[in-house]
């Protein structure tokens, strides 16, 4: 039996992970669960899975959860705060850590797991966006195992030769006859929307993804294709390649999750339903396979596949992220911080949909050449970029 900590248990990835775990009670034991403010949801998970530990980043929420646990005569120990997240991620009894906290908040606990040599199931793309070189170096230094959870990166991983899967961080794709990583994306809900109507897009429209069920922030990122841009940066570090080795392909049906192109003309693709339980199960059991409740594809029911190149005018955020990837770790850190701020402002009704990219571009221009070689400077730059964006948002309003 393998023990598991889930960072971000109340989010969509965390819930899907627990759904897979529930199907295999003899194989996985939940050591710890974490959340931010959703007390009732985390308490329900505690009742079902009875973890030894629970952490809520919000102190007041933790107090409420602690009382619920006490009243229910459960033995789960409840802690609060950022340090408690790191302590749980690094717990000596944890075999695997699902890193599914959205945004920059997931960086430090994910690094804590890496530094203890854990098997890290990486769903927090910002960890690599903010600190790609540093993060991968630590994976090598501490002997951690890194398995990608994002459906696109998991698909690429599945299409790699087994020898390359064993160490993607130091081996070169070209040594295995790989010429290109093809990163697919649905194009979001506005793939065919008239560009003249973009400024009137509402938060409700932006979070209504046509294929995937996700949280609000990631849904907006999908609508702007910033999510694909962040995945582009993540792929650059996960698979030890250059930006020129990655190509983004719009595939609205979300059945092909990504592809690997080989020098002999072959293209290997991983297909499946748009359901995160598939890549989660793959990583949980790797290199074995376990059952999920995901329906297998019925090829006789599938619509025709289509593919296209993303338009810069429709998806400026994607191209900002690709540009940031070329600049380096400082630029990607600043752009990620700015985007978290602008998406939150859009969801709160403070700025328009098109303002997201315009403001993100200002942040990239301001911080493009800033160097951030270590964790201290990365975290400082993250805060500086957020303060810069606060000033920009005040000017908009």
């Amino acid at each position: 039996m393998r023990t598991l900590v889930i960072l971000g248990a109340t989010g969509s990835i965390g819930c899907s992970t627990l759904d897979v775990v529930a199907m295999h009670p003899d194989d996985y034991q939940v050591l710890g669960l974490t959340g931010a403010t959703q007390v009732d949801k985390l308490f329900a998970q505690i009742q079902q899975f009875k973890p030894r530990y629970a952490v809520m980043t919000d102190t007041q929420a933790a107090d409420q959860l602690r009382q619920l646990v006490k009243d229910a005569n459960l033995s789960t120990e409840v802690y609060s705060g950022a340090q408690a997240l790191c302590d749980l991620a690094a717990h000596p009894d944890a075999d695997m850590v699902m890193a599914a906290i959205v945004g920059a908040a997931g960086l430090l606990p994910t690094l804590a797991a890496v530094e203890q040599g854990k098997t890290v199931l990486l769903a927090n793309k910002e960890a690599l966006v903010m600190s790609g070189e540093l993060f991968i170096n630590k994976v090598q230094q501490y002997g951690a195992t890194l398995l990608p959870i994002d459906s696109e990166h998991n698909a690429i991983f599945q299409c790699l030769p087994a020898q390359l899967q064993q160490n993607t961080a130091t081996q070169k794709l070209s040594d295995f006859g790989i010429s290109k990583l093809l990163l697919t994306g649905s194009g979001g809900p506005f793939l065919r929307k008239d560009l003249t109507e973009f400024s009137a897009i509402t938060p409700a429209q932006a979070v209504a993804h046509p294929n995937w069920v996700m949280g609000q922030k990631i849904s907006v990122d999908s609508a702007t294709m910033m999510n694909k841009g962040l995945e582009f940066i993540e792929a650059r570090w996960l698979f030890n390649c250059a930006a020129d080795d990655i190509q983004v392909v719009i595939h609205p049906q979300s059945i092909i999750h990504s592809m690997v192109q080989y020098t002999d003309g072959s293209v290997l693709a991983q297909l499946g339903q748009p359901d995160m339980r598939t890549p989660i199960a793959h990583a949980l059991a790797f290199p074995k396979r376990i059952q999920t409740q995901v329906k297998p594809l019925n090829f006789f029911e599938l619509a025709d596949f289509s593919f296209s190149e993303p338009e810069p005018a429709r998806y400026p955020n994607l191209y900002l992220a690709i540009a940031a990837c070329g600049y380096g770790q400082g630029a990607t850190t600043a752009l990620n911080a700015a985007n978290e701020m602008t998406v939150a402002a859009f969801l709160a009704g403070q700025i328009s949909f098109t303002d997201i990219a315009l403001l993100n571009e200002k942040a990239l221009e301001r911080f493009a050449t800033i160097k951030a070689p270590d964790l201290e400077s990365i975290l400082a730059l993250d805060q500086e970029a957020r303060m810069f964006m606060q000033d920009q948002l005040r000017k908009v309003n």
Side-chain angles (χ1 to χ4, degrees), residues 107-169:
L107 173 60
L108 290 179
T110 305
L111 277 174
V114 166
E115 290 173 351
Q116 293 302 314
K118 306 294 185 186
T119 295
V120 177
L121 282 55
L122 188 66
N124 170 264
K125 59 179 62 64
E126 289 82 3
L128 283 176
V129 169
M130 292 177 65
S131 65
E133 185 175 10
L134 172 76
F135 192 96
I136 294 299
N137 287 343
K138 283 184 178 291
V139 169
Q140 295 298 303
Q141 179 183 352
Y142 293 100
T145 299
L146 191 61
L147 297 173
I149 296 299
D150 273 347
S151 61
E152 296 81 2
H153 303 101
N154 183 268
I156 290 169
F157 185 86
Q158 291 195 51
C159 293
L160 297 178
Q163 187 180 349
L164 182 53
Q165 287 178 336
Q166 293 165 12
N167 192 348
T168 59

Side-chain angles (χ1 to χ4, degrees), residues 152-230:
E152 296 81 2
H153 303 101
N154 183 268
I156 290 169
F157 185 86
Q158 291 195 51
C159 293
L160 297 178
Q163 187 180 349
L164 182 53
Q165 287 178 336
Q166 293 165 12
N167 192 348
T168 59
T170 60
Q171 301 183 96
K172 292 183 178 179
L173 298 180
S174 58
D175 291 341
F176 293 85
I178 295 170
S179 58
K180 191 80 69 174
L181 304 181
L182 303 174
L183 198 64
T184 63
S186 69
F190 309 129
L191 177 60
R192 315 228 184 275
K193 193 175 187 67
D194 193 311
L195 291 176
T196 61
E197 300 175 2
F198 268 43
S199 60
I201 288 172
T202 66
Q205 291 172 321
V207 301
H209 195 281
N211 300 331
W212 296 92
V213 177
M214 305 179 292
Q216 287 195 323
K217 194 269 181 182
I218 194 172
S219 295
V220 174
D221 281 349
S222 180
T224 67
M225 283 197 81
M226 174 60 87
N227 195 46
K228 202 57 50 183
L230 299 179

